[in-house]
């Protein structure tokens, strides 16, 4: 039985101003490295022998119904506007309506050059492909909105990245690939008809209840506020929150130099290209507001009365820090087992975080140890924790079910960076055991899995990963 993907494409109907048609460029020796059967079911992707799937997910065979295209977008990269980016190494194959009634994009990443590749080769190597596979699926299991991974295929070709590396293609699934940068490209070019068409399309696809451009802005603000609060609650650092990596859907997108923190420190940065710490852990809420302001600037270009637009948009953007703060507090209250709201909760949370930074506590393990009573062992000076603990115990009085609330808010397993590096190093040598094991364990991040305790362990000093590199 051949592989069937029930494509039902809408983006391609927007017209050629929005994309460049492009077929994936065939590769030498496709080999299927991973296939996500659970996700395939949701997408109603069925059939297909391994050999055929390798051909499809490496880009050698274009499945029936696909209309491969590279999407056009612009974006602020580290604060500087780049008027044209676009899919330089990715292709949208098309969309499907899933068994859950949701519409999904299916995209190949690493499928060869496009009209937007500039000097890039349009390819990816196995490292970033497997990293995105593991981390995006882990994010999904944590209950945080994200793009997902349907498949990974090796190309049998060498990609040159500071030496030769094995090439690979990731099949990425997203609610859509519409970004802040997709709006910016038309706004900056003064292509108001395209901007309007895109706005209508985004509203229909993601926020049908939203009323016009400002309704869309408000909906994106709310979705992004929830997303950033969720990232903060698990110690996730995106690494490249450029406006082209900020999805309108509110999903996490583009796992490049991202990482989950081990030891807690608010200024933690991983990305090797983030020299000023623009995208440090604690800056993420501010950057999200900055990105929303860029979306606002783009959206108001289409309004009949731009002045009125400016006022409304300003109001919407200015409400974002407060919303994010409140989402953040809800998340961190839950991490402490608290379901109700009281004055002083914020101080309780920040009091703990300050001690964690001073005490070099492992973010994930400290929180997951809170209920068991061993959290103090994670601090350099356990006495500092004990002082805080008294306030916390007092606050928990009368809380209905702190243990249960904490269990659901504090994962035991996150994709630790040193394990990802180890997994990639092994995969380059042809050993995928750790890759598969990580996927299996991280699919149930809130469950104790004592036999996999090694994946909970923070890095030893010599294992600490100080920088991660872009997926290019
Ligand atoms: P990123 O930083 O991964 O979000 O990528 C930023 C831009 O660079 C996007 O337009 C990508 O499509 C493009 N890009 C990244 N890597 C490559 C590559 N190897 N070949 C062509 N374009 C690339
Ligand atoms: Mg990107």
């Amino acid at each position: 039985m051949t592989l069937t993907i029930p494509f039902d494409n809408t983006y391609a109907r927007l017209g050629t101003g929005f994309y460049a048609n492009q077929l994936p460029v065939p590769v030498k020796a496709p080999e299927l490295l991973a296939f996500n059967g659970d996700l395939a079911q949701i997408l109603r992707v069925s059939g297909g022998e391994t050999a055929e799937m390798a051909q499809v997910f490496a880009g050698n065979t274009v499945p029936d119904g696909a209309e491969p295209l590279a999407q056009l977008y612009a974006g602020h990269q580290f604060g500087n506007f780049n008027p044209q980016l676009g899919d330089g190494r990715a292709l949208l194959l098309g969309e499907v309506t899933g068994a859950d009634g949701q519409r999904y994009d299916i995209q190949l990443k690493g499928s060869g050059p496009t009209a937007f590749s500039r000097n890039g080769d349009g390819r990816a190597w196995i490292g970033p492909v497997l990293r995105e596979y593991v981390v995006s699926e882990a994010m999904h299991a944590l209950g945080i909105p994200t793009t997902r991974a349907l498949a990974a295929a090796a190309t049998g070709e060498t990609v040159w990245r500071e030496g030769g590396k094995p090439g690979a293609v990731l099949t990425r699934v997203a609610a859509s690939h519409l970004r802040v940068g997709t709006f910016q490209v038309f706004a900056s070019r003064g292509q108001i008809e395209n901007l309007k068409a895109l706005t209508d399309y985004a509203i229909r696809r993601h926020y049908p209840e939203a009323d016009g451009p400002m309704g869309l802005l408000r909906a994106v603000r709310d979705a992004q506020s929830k997303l950033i609060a969720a990232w903060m609650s698990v110690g996730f650092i995106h690494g490249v929150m450029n406006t082209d990596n900020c999805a309108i859907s509110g999903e996490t997108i583009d796992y490049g130099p991202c990482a989950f923190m081990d030891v807690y420190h608010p200024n933690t940065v991983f990305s090797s290209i983030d020299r000023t710490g623009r995208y440090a852990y604690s800056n993420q809420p501010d950057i999200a507001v900055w990105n929303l302001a860029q979306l606002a600037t783009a959206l108001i270009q289409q309004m009949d009365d731009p002045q009125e637009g400016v006022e409304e948009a300003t109001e919407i953007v200015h409400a974002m820090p407060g919303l994010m703060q409140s989402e953040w507090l809800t998340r961190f209250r839950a991490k402490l087992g608290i379901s109700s709201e009281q004055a002083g909760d914020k101080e309780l949370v920040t009091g703990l975080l300050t001690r964690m930074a001073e005490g070099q506590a492992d973010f994930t393990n400290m929180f997951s140890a809170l209920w068991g009573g061993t959290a103090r062992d994670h601090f350099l000076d356990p006495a500092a924790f004990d002082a805080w603990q008294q306030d916390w115990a007092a606050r928990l009085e009368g809380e209905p079910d702190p243990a249960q609330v904490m269990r659901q808010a504090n994962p035991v397993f996150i994709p630790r960076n040193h394990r990802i590096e180890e997994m990639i190093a092994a995969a380059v040598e042809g050993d995928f055991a750790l890759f598969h094991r990580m996927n299996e364990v991280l699919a149930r991040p809130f469950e104790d899995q004592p036999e996999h305790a090694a994946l909970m362990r923070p890095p030893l000093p010599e294992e600490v990963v100080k920088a991660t590199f872009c997926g290019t």
Side-chain angles (χ1 to χ4, degrees):
M1 208 179 112
T2 57
L3 181 73
T4 308
I5 306 178
F7 285 109
D8 164 26
N9 307 328
T10 58
Y11 195 80
R13 305 284 87 78
L14 283 173
T16 51
F18 291 79
Y19 55 82
N21 292 108
Q22 173 71 53
L23 291 174
V25 180
V27 297
K28 212 160 69 188
E31 188 195 333
L32 192 66
L33 300 176
F35 181 69
N36 190 338
D38 293 345
L39 180 57
Q41 278 199 348
I42 296 172
L43 301 176
R44 300 186 297 136
V45 170
S46 61
E49 304 297 328
T50 304
E52 187 194 357
M53 289 202 276
Q55 294 291 329
V56 169
F57 296 121
N60 282 24
T61 305
V62 176
D64 279 351
E67 297 173 85
L69 57 88
Q71 291 179 307
L72 173 67
Y73 53 86
H76 279 91
Q77 299 178 302
F78 290 90
N80 303 307
F81 188 62
N82 189 328
Q84 187 179 297
L85 290 163
D87 290 332
R89 57 172 158 172
L91 290 175
L92 178 66
L93 289 180
E95 301 143 42
V96 298
T97 304
D100 56 0
Q102 302 292 314
R103 177 171 293 278
Y104 294 96
D105 275 8
I106 300 182
Q107 191 200 59
L108 297 181
K109 192 170 172 186
S111 49
T114 74
F116 309 121
S117 295
R118 288 161 292 161
N119 298 321
D121 59 4
R123 293 295 182 189
W125 71 278
I126 203 171
V129 166
L130 297 186
R131 171 190 290 274
E132 177 157 349
Y133 196 111
V134 168
V135 182
S136 67
E137 285 301 304
M139 196 67 104
H140 172 74
L142 287 166
I144 299 176
T146 177
T147 64
R148 298 193 61 187
L150 178 62
T155 62
E157 295 181 355
T158 300
V159 172
W160 296 96
R161 303 281 186 276
E162 290 154 356
K165 313 267 186 180
V169 177
L170 177 77
T171 304
R172 175 161 80 179
V173 173
S176 84
H177 286 83
L178 302 181
R179 309 141 190 273
V180 169
T182 320
F183 293 82
Q184 289 181 290
V185 75
F186 301 120
S188 71
R189 290 175 177 185
Q191 295 177 343
I192 303 307
E193 288 315 309
N194 284 359
L195 180 63
K196 284 183 173 167
L198 181 67
T199 303
D200 288 347
Y201 179 83
I203 290 174
R204 259 182 285 128
R205 186 156 172 183
H206 294 295
Y207 306 107
E209 69 291 352
D211 185 14
M214 292 303 105
L216 175 62
L217 184 65
R218 211 174 269 115
V220 174
R221 175 196 65 189
D222 294 353
Q224 284 286 329
S225 297
K226 285 198 166 69
L227 177 67
I228 306 304
W231 287 356
M232 302 302 279
S233 77
V234 294
F236 180 72
I237 301 165
H238 181 282
V240 217
M241 287 177 69
N242 293 338
T243 57
D244 53 301
N245 295 337
C246 176
I248 294 305
S249 64
E251 286 183 339
T252 312
I253 189 169
D254 266 10
Y255 292 84
C258 62
F260 284 77
M261 257 191 295
D262 295 300
V263 168
Y264 173 72
H265 198 285
N267 298 344
T268 308
V269 178
F270 284 98
S271 168
S272 58
I273 52 172
D274 191 2
R275 304 207 189 281
T276 61
R278 178 181 171 91
Y279 299 138
Y281 173 76
S282 60
N283 271 359
Q284 296 184 125
D286 286 348
I287 292 294
V289 177
W290 196 89
N291 287 348
L292 192 79
Q294 306 316 312
L295 177 63
T297 305
L299 284 172
I300 52 182
Q301 311 296 322
Q302 67 191 290
M303 301 193 49
D304 296 333
D305 180 355
Q307 191 47 43
E308 200 179 298
V310 170
E311 278 163 31
E312 193 178 353
T314 303
E315 200 181 296
I316 293 168
V317 174
H318 280 184
M320 191 177 188
L323 280 169
M324 225 164 355
Q325 172 75 243
S326 135
E327 299 285 352
W328 177 90
L329 194 50
T330 303
R331 288 269 180 183
F332 276 84
R333 275 196 188 101
K335 291 179 81 67
L336 300 184
I338 300 170
S339 323
S340 65
E341 294 179 19
Q342 272 184 28
D345 286 347
K346 186 181 164 205
E347 290 67 27
L348 188 69
V349 173
T350 53
L352 177 61
L353 291 173
T354 304
R355 285 170 168 82
M356 285 169 67
E358 286 164 5
Q360 297 179 26
D362 182 86
F363 186 87
T364 304
N365 290 357
M366 197 298 299
F367 276 108
S368 63
L370 266 181
W371 189 249
T374 54
R376 69 192 304 279
D377 304 344
H378 293 277
F379 292 78
L380 286 183
D381 172 15
F385 173 78
D386 296 339
W388 176 86
Q389 209 255 342
Q390 294 181 357
D391 292 341
W392 178 47
R395 177 63 181 86
L396 280 185
E397 269 174 46
E399 281 296 323
D401 195 356
Q404 185 59 16
V405 172
M406 291 174 72
R407 266 196 88 77
Q408 290 171 355
N410 295 315
V412 182
F413 293 96
I414 48 149
R416 291 197 184 259
N417 225 0
H418 65 295
R419 291 299 184 198
I420 292 175
E421 296 299 327
E422 188 186 335
M423 176 275 286
I424 291 170
V428 167
E429 300 300 322
D431 175 359
F432 294 88
L434 185 54
F435 168 71
H436 292 301
R437 180 168 163 225
M438 288 183 83
N439 284 322
E440 206 181 296
V441 173
L442 291 164
R444 295 175 291 136
F446 297 99
E447 277 175 39
D448 288 321
Q449 302 174 59
E451 66 281 22
H452 295 296
L455 294 182
M456 293 171 59
R457 181 175 65 69
L460 300 169
E462 65 271 23
E463 290 173 325
V464 172
V465 178
K466 299 222 169 54
T468 54
F469 297 86
C470 250
T472 48

